[in-house]
Amino acid sequence: MKDKSKSPLKVALHGMDGRTNKMMVMYLQGPCKGAAAVVEDLNAEIDIIDADSLEAKTLLERKLAESAKPIIALSLQELTFENILYVKKPVKVDDMLFALSEAAAILSVKKRSSNHVNSNMENTAIRQSQSLIPKTENVLPSVKDQVKKLTTDEQKKTSKHQTAMQLDEGKFNSYIGSIPGLDVNDPKQFTAATYNPKQYFQGYVQSALMVAEAKKQVMCLNSSWKPLIIFPHNYEIWLDADDKQLRAFASVVMNKISVPAITLTPVESATSSIQKDLEKFHSKDAFLWKLAAWTSKGRYPDALDIHRPVFLKHWPNFTRLVITPHALRIAALLIASPRTLPEIADILKIKPQYVFVFISAAYALGLIGQAKRKADEIIQPSAIKKSEQQGLLNRIIGKLSLNKS
Amino acid sequence: MSQYKIIFTGPVGAGKTTAIESISDIPPVKTDASASDMTKTKKSSTTVAMDYGIMNLTGGEKIHLYGTPGQERFDFMWDILTTGGIGLILLLDNTRADPFQDMKFFLDSFQKFIAETNVAIGVTQMDLSNKPTIDDYHIQLQGIGINPPVFSVDARVKNDVSLLVQSLLYSLDPEIEA
């Protein structure tokens, strides 16, 4: 398989007769060392036009009007058209490679910008500047400036890119909390160790996320607390609250007084305070994960049957989540085969509360499914394949866990 | 004493050298040289042979951390490197033109080793390019028929690299404990 970074740029040739066309194909393959390959117009990323041909004027006007592709014009005359990269004839290898690299840079910025314009508050200015490619001599600085702006905005969203917080058993109760009068670790109380996310802020956030994603519309969830803004295109949530405040609000049961105050409204334009407070952006998954963990307080969602096996669709993105005790082990076990919640605790020899909180968080992200087929209950899951190197793996894990800095 | 090793692989610029540096107990042995081919569009120097680091375990055991060179022309070394390896860490650069293509290439190249051990995938540079998302990678992996850990990783951050390696080890045996 070929490394993609070495893939040639796809170019279409215009205004050239058969012989020139063939020569240009060979020139790009040979002297230009395959930096570009000639393809059909429809599949091309870049247009190369012989600007001295009879139909050149019409061609250039049509391409500028119809296509957003970078254009390289080859001409005996020095061209000063805007939005066109110029290579003087007779074409020299260095000049052609330089024009191709400029075109590639433009393509790369366009790709990034098109990803970004859908995002929260990127305004039309970027789209406008993207479509207005400046004069040849100004292309590179402009491209660099744009890349810089885009990257710094994303990098300023520090909460999104923060590494995971790992909770050990000792920190669990103080960080996650517990329900007074309920011992979730007592098998006799398992059936009572449930909660309904819909009765908490978590349920309203999940519903709001579904609406925002379905409508592809930035939405604001208003409640008696702080407004929460959802940016569905970038899977982001903006909230002006710290973890301590969110944890407290997560555990409040919504009652008849608070529910009518909860509304979901479309947001047409992001306010300047949001634009300034980029560090208050959270990834949707990381936010929902911790919100569910705090709402659960060691319980599991009442939609799950504790006697039926559950499965994990795929690994959560643990490096950007709050990692509850034994979460990686639980994930690895469930990826291997479906298990009931008490089975997981038994096999891993851990307290059920650690299983329940993991299941609650993963369930909120849609990663947990309950085995519905009779076969899943009848057939015993395969025994865990113990590694012959278990002792060694234990020691490596021990070493890695010691060095968390 | 037995030689144990974890292999780090991935395309040029994905952060293999940095990741090894993050968890190695010794200053890693780097074999970088100035880039002279297409690589130079990604970074000024690159790994032309391999990187090497060590994790010292209690009891005097050592885990050798090997980083494969990113360029395909060194792929003859990959078989030699993986012999006796515990598992594979695949790092992918999210800013590359087609990271899925990279992923498929490396999963395909190390298919035999992965089948015998396991793989964990770290996606780097997500703060520069937030798409494709981690979910997009899982969708691609579904098509390949494997379900490994896929994490956002900043190769400079020890915790990120450590979690990725831990996920690889737990995939091998969920019953192991710290």
Side-chain angles (χ1 to χ4, degrees):
Chain A
M1 212 177 292
K2 199 165 184 180
D3 189 324
K4 193 73 182 176
S5 72
K6 293 172 188 170
S7 298
L9 293 162
K10 295 173 192 162
V11 300
L13 303 177
H14 305 278
M16 297 177 199
D17 60 23
R19 193 173 170 194
T20 317
N21 200 304
K22 199 170 175 182
M23 208 155 94
M24 185 56 72
V25 171
M26 289 165 67
Y27 183 75
L28 291 170
Q29 274 175 358
C32 292
K33 294 181 178 165
V38 178
V39 297
E40 292 291 319
D41 191 14
L42 212 66
N43 302 322
E45 302 164 306
I46 298 162
D47 288 315
I48 298 181
I49 296 174
D50 182 350
D52 299 330
S53 65
L54 288 173
E55 69 271 38
K57 190 167 178 277
T58 326
L59 258 172
L60 283 169
E61 282 171 357
R62 183 162 59 81
K63 285 288 171 191
L64 282 170
E66 287 176 0
S67 163
K69 293 176 206 167
I71 298 171
I72 298 174
L74 316 177
S75 177
L76 291 163
Q77 312 298 322
E78 199 152 314
L79 300 178
T80 52
F81 291 121
E82 285 193 61
N83 307 341
I84 292 175
L85 301 166
Y86 162 67
V87 176
K88 195 172 190 302
K89 288 183 191 169
V91 175
K92 292 177 190 156
V93 172
D94 284 351
D95 293 348
M96 179 55 94
L97 289 177
F98 182 71
L100 286 169
S101 73
E102 283 193 296
I106 293 165
L107 283 172
S108 142
V109 168
K110 282 188 176 185
K111 195 180 166 193
R112 280 175 196 220
S113 300
S114 66
N115 284 343
H116 208 74
V117 287
N118 286 334
S119 76
N120 42 58
M121 65 233 156
E122 276 305 322
N123 48 38
T124 48
I126 281 181
R127 260 175 276 183
Q128 285 165 358
S129 64
Q130 175 190 341
S131 62
L132 285 173
I133 302 162
K135 283 185 180 180
T136 311
E137 62 269 27
N138 296 329
V139 165
L140 278 179
S142 160
V143 163
K144 282 177 186 164
D145 288 349
Q146 275 200 26
V147 170
K148 199 175 167 191
K149 184 189 182 317
L150 297 177
T151 55
T152 49
D153 274 4
E154 184 61 28
Q155 286 175 323
K156 279 179 191 165
K157 295 174 182 173
T158 47
S159 298
K160 271 183 75 181
H161 304 293
Q162 217 164 35
T163 193
M165 174 199 269
Q166 293 188 64
L167 292 180
D168 56 28
E169 292 188 7
K171 288 183 197 155
F172 182 85
N173 280 338
S174 60
Y175 191 78
I176 298 293
S178 58
I179 301 292
L182 176 70
D183 182 3
V184 294
N185 296 318
D186 176 5
K188 287 176 194 156
Q189 298 188 47
F190 277 176
T191 46
T194 61
Y195 77 107
N196 181 357
K198 289 178 185 168
Q199 292 174 348
Y200 297 87
F201 187 53
Q202 181 194 336
Y204 293 92
V205 173
Q206 285 183 277
S207 298
L209 282 166
M210 282 167 65
V211 173
E213 278 164 20
K215 292 190 171 177
K216 302 201 183 312
Q217 163 75 54
V218 180
M219 303 287 253
C220 180
L221 180 65
N222 308 287
S223 65
S224 54
W225 191 46
K226 293 166 185 276
L228 177 144
I229 303 172
I230 299 163
F231 296 93
H233 302 101
N234 263 16
Y235 313 102
E236 289 171 342
I237 282 174
W238 187 91
L239 178 69
D240 185 10
D242 60 27
D243 279 0
K244 204 174 166 187
Q245 292 169 313
L246 180 61
R247 187 167 56 213
F249 194 61
S251 60
V252 175
V253 179
M254 297 290 159
N255 56 33
K256 285 178 184 169
I257 299 164
S258 55
V259 167
I262 300 176
T263 58
L264 186 64
T265 50
V267 177
E268 295 309 329
S269 61
T271 64
S272 58
S273 68
I274 292 176
Q275 294 188 28
K276 272 189 291 181
D277 292 338
L278 294 175
E279 74 280 5
K280 286 168 185 163
F281 275 95
H282 303 261
S283 100
K284 180 199 80 172
D285 284 357
F287 183 87
L288 202 49
W289 178 276
K290 64 184 176 187
L291 180 61
W294 285 327
T295 312
S296 142
K297 290 183 184 294
R299 297 171 294 174
Y300 62 93
D302 61 0
L304 293 175
D305 181 345
I306 199 167
H307 303 298
R308 280 188 155 169
V310 294
F311 58 88
L312 185 63
K313 291 172 187 168
H314 63 70
W315 281 78
N317 182 17
F318 275 123
T319 49
R320 298 294 174 264
L321 303 174
V322 172
I323 303 181
T324 50
H326 308 286
L328 275 84
R329 301 176 67 206
I330 299 168
L333 185 70
L334 283 179
I335 286 288
S337 57
R339 307 272 174 184
T340 66
L341 274 46
E343 263 177 4
I344 300 168
D346 283 347
I347 292 167
L348 299 180
K349 300 180 181 65
I350 57 177
K351 285 183 181 173
Q353 68 185 131
Y354 304 137
V355 178
F356 296 163
V357 76
F358 170 85
I359 294 293
S360 296
Y363 186 71
L365 265 57
L367 295 179
I368 294 290
Q370 185 124 48
K372 299 267 188 236
R373 297 171 307 175
K374 202 73 185 159
D376 291 318
E377 294 168 44
I378 292 169
I379 298 169
Q380 176 80 19
S382 53
I384 302 167
K385 195 178 150 195
K386 285 189 185 354
S387 168
E388 290 167 9
Q389 297 175 318
Q390 201 176 61
L392 173 74
L393 300 184
N394 280 337
R395 290 192 289 283
I396 305 175
I397 288 282
K399 166 83 179 180
L400 290 168
S401 304
L402 277 176
N403 297 323
K404 283 180 187 171
S405 63
Chain B
M1 194 175 282
S2 301
Q3 296 289 305
Y4 304 111
K5 53 188 175 183
I6 296 173
I7 316 300
F8 288 70
T9 194
V12 172
K16 301 180 290 291
T17 308
T18 313
I20 289 175
E21 200 168 359
S22 294
I23 56 169
S24 173
D25 288 324
I26 60 159
V29 179
K30 292 183 196 174
T31 48
D32 279 7
S34 80
S36 57
D37 55 8
M38 285 295 279
T39 304
K40 72 182 172 188
T41 61
K42 299 295 290 181
K43 56 181 194 174
S44 58
S45 70
T46 193
T47 304
V48 293
M50 61 186 181
D51 288 315
Y52 174 67
I54 292 177
M55 275 173 59
N56 294 315
L57 304 184
T58 49
E61 282 168 314
K62 291 181 193 304
I63 301 297
H64 304 271
L65 310 168
Y66 287 104
T68 67
Q71 304 100 319
E72 285 168 58
R73 65 175 182 271
F74 291 103
D75 60 2
F76 66 92
M77 291 176 66
W78 296 351
D79 271 350
I80 305 165
L81 273 179
T82 54
T83 306
I86 292 170
L88 183 71
I89 298 291
L90 169 57
L91 294 175
L92 298 167
D93 174 354
N94 217 38
T95 63
R96 297 244 310 172
D98 190 348
F100 295 150
Q101 186 73 17
D102 292 337
M103 180 171 76
K104 284 171 189 164
F105 170 75
F106 283 97
L107 290 177
D108 191 40
S109 301
F110 288 91
Q111 193 179 24
K112 187 166 167 271
F113 180 55
I114 293 168
E116 289 165 358
T117 58
N118 231 320
V119 62
I121 301 173
V123 183
T124 62
Q125 315 275 25
M126 290 204 77
D127 58 338
L128 295 180
S129 172
N130 55 16
K131 286 178 183 153
T133 65
I134 296 294
D135 280 350
D136 294 332
Y137 281 93
H138 282 295
I139 292 166
Q140 293 289 320
L141 286 163
Q142 261 180 1
I144 300 171
I146 56 172
N147 201 359
V150 185
F151 298 167
S152 315
V153 166
D154 183 336
R156 298 163 299 181
V157 177
K158 185 189 269 187
N159 193 42
D160 280 11
V161 182
S162 167
L163 282 168
L164 189 63
V165 176
Q166 287 183 53
S167 73
L168 170 70
L169 303 178
Y170 285 126
S171 298
L172 293 166
D173 186 345
E175 287 192 88
I176 56 173
E177 283 180 84

